[in-house]
Amino acid sequence: MELRVLQYFLAVTREQSISGAAESLHLSQPTLSRQLKELEEELGRQLFIRGNRRITLTEEGMILRRRAEEILELVKKAEHEVSLSDETLAGDITIGAGETDGVRLLANAAQMIQKEYPLVHFHIISGDRVTVTEEMDRGLIDFGLLFGRIDPSKYESIQVPCKDRFGVLMRRDSPLAEKKAISPEDLRTQPLILSRQALQDASLQAVFGNDSEKLNIVATYNLLFNGSLMVDEGMGYAVCLDRIINVSGESSLCFRPFEPEVEAPLSLVWKKYQTLTKAAEKFLSKCQEWTA
């Protein structure tokens, strides 16, 4: 399978027509049609459903589109890294992170790197633990900022010198807002809004113990901003981390920590045995000063 043919395939998925893709690629329609037919024959699968007005993907076609995008992104990244001069520190550093105030530490390290090496560029991709680890395993991101236990057989890591605390985001006019801190018992019968990650890791059990399966979960969120909108509309109480949603000033929301306090340790993670670029090595060296 040639990279050129994958580019042709993605052009067709983007344009949803042979004619439109052929025009954007500066190819004749018969040439492009032949290349696609040969690709389907090579894979032994039908990739397209050819309609009168547009082309749609089969299930196999959707799988190939996702993988083709990843492959071409990796090739682009590799070409960029190889083309950099040995004398100049430059390049892109991509970090996957959930919503946490700990990103401030990464931004501080990035800012110090860019002062000395202005050709180094940083990219933060938001996502939960599952998304970040998958992207890291595929080589699409360099580092992940993750909560909780890290698998030492797969990843290297350093502890980030900050800990986020769990608590509850609620409306200021909620009955529980009168409390300075919230106990797990206060939420046993309340409508709860939880993050998708909380349903997948041990954070719920850390707060509620073995009763976590009996909770009244009315909604979930991936990004807390969306969760905060559900809270503001009166859907329930969001279990979340502190310092993500601004609740100061005239905000209609407030945050109350759990009592006893529940903290979430944070780690900067990268794939074991991964060959880092010079820019990524410099960034990691700066972050390792946290534990010096």
Side-chain angles (χ1 to χ4, degrees):
M1 188 184 305
E2 298 182 25
L3 293 176
R4 171 178 52 83
V5 178
L6 288 180
Q7 291 172 329
Y8 293 169
F9 169 76
L10 289 178
V12 174
T13 65
R14 183 177 62 250
E15 300 294 337
Q16 297 185 321
S17 75
I18 297 289
S19 59
E23 184 176 350
S24 69
L25 294 168
H26 305 292
L27 293 173
S28 67
Q29 283 187 235
T31 297
L32 181 56
S33 295
R34 186 180 68 255
Q35 294 282 356
L36 297 176
K37 181 175 175 54
E38 290 175 356
L39 178 61
E40 288 181 317
E41 291 175 350
E42 179 182 351
L43 296 174
R45 292 289 187 273
Q46 181 181 353
L47 302 174
F48 300 101
I49 299 173
R50 295 162 173 80
N52 292 330
R53 296 193 174 183
R54 67 172 189 167
I55 285 179
T56 57
L57 292 174
T58 62
E59 183 177 350
E60 291 80 4
M62 288 187 282
I63 293 172
L64 180 60
R65 178 180 63 184
R66 185 168 65 251
R67 298 305 184 199
E69 289 171 345
E70 293 174 359
I71 290 169
L72 293 177
E73 181 63 29
L74 282 172
V75 169
K76 181 180 177 182
K77 183 177 180 181
E79 289 175 342
H80 179 64
E81 291 171 356
V82 170
S83 67
L84 295 176
S85 168
D86 288 337
E87 300 176 358
T88 304
L89 191 69
D92 296 291
I93 298 174
T94 306
I95 305 167
E99 294 177 295
T100 166
D101 197 61
V103 171
R104 290 182 183 274
L105 285 171
L106 298 184
N108 179 262
Q111 189 259 354
M112 288 190 285
I113 292 292
Q114 286 186 324
K115 272 188 176 179
E116 190 173 356
Y117 306 102
L119 295 180
V120 175
H121 303 285
F122 290 83
H123 310 279
I124 299 287
I125 297 177
S126 297
D128 58 19
R129 186 186 185 95
V130 173
T131 302
V132 170
T133 52
E134 284 181 351
E135 296 288 280
M136 197 158 43
D137 290 344
R138 293 169 182 165
L140 299 176
I141 61 176
D142 301 299
F143 300 99
L145 192 62
L146 301 177
F147 293 106
R149 182 183 176 277
I150 306 302
D151 183 353
S153 67
K154 292 181 64 177
Y155 306 110
E156 303 282 0
S157 65
I158 57 174
Q159 195 80 27
V160 177
C162 74
K163 289 185 179 180
D164 288 327
R165 59 177 181 170
F166 276 103
V168 185
L169 187 69
M170 64 187 77
R171 288 168 57 119
R172 290 188 183 274
D173 58 3
S174 300
L176 294 182
E178 298 177 2
K179 291 175 169 282
K180 292 184 178 180
I182 303 298
S183 69
E185 288 72 23
D186 291 328
L187 300 176
R188 298 292 181 191
T189 60
Q190 299 294 339
L192 299 183
I193 303 168
L194 303 180
S195 71
R196 185 176 70 168
Q197 179 165 324
L199 298 176
Q200 297 167 336
D201 60 25
S203 58
L204 266 188
Q205 192 166 8
V207 176
F208 297 102
N210 295 328
D211 292 337
S212 57
E213 295 180 359
K214 302 176 183 178
L215 298 176
N216 180 22
I217 302 171
V218 298
T220 63
Y221 63 85
N222 189 25
L223 297 175
L224 183 55
F225 176 75
N226 293 331
S228 72
L229 297 180
M230 290 189 279
V231 172
D232 201 28
E233 289 300 316
M235 288 182 63
Y237 296 85
V239 176
C240 61
L241 296 172
D242 195 4
R243 296 178 298 179
I244 298 176
I245 298 297
N246 186 353
V247 295
S248 62
E250 298 181 358
S251 172
S252 62
L253 304 179
C254 63
F255 178 89
R256 298 290 181 265
F258 280 117
E259 189 178 53
E261 192 172 80
V262 179
E263 292 185 333
L266 195 58
S267 300
L268 182 68
V269 180
W270 63 100
K271 197 161 64 169
K272 206 164 190 175
Y273 310 118
Q274 176 180 348
T275 301
L276 297 174
T277 65
K278 292 182 179 180
E281 286 180 349
K282 183 65 69 173
F283 174 72
L284 179 58
S285 177
K286 179 63 67 175
C287 293
Q288 287 171 329
E289 294 177 6
W290 296 334
T291 58

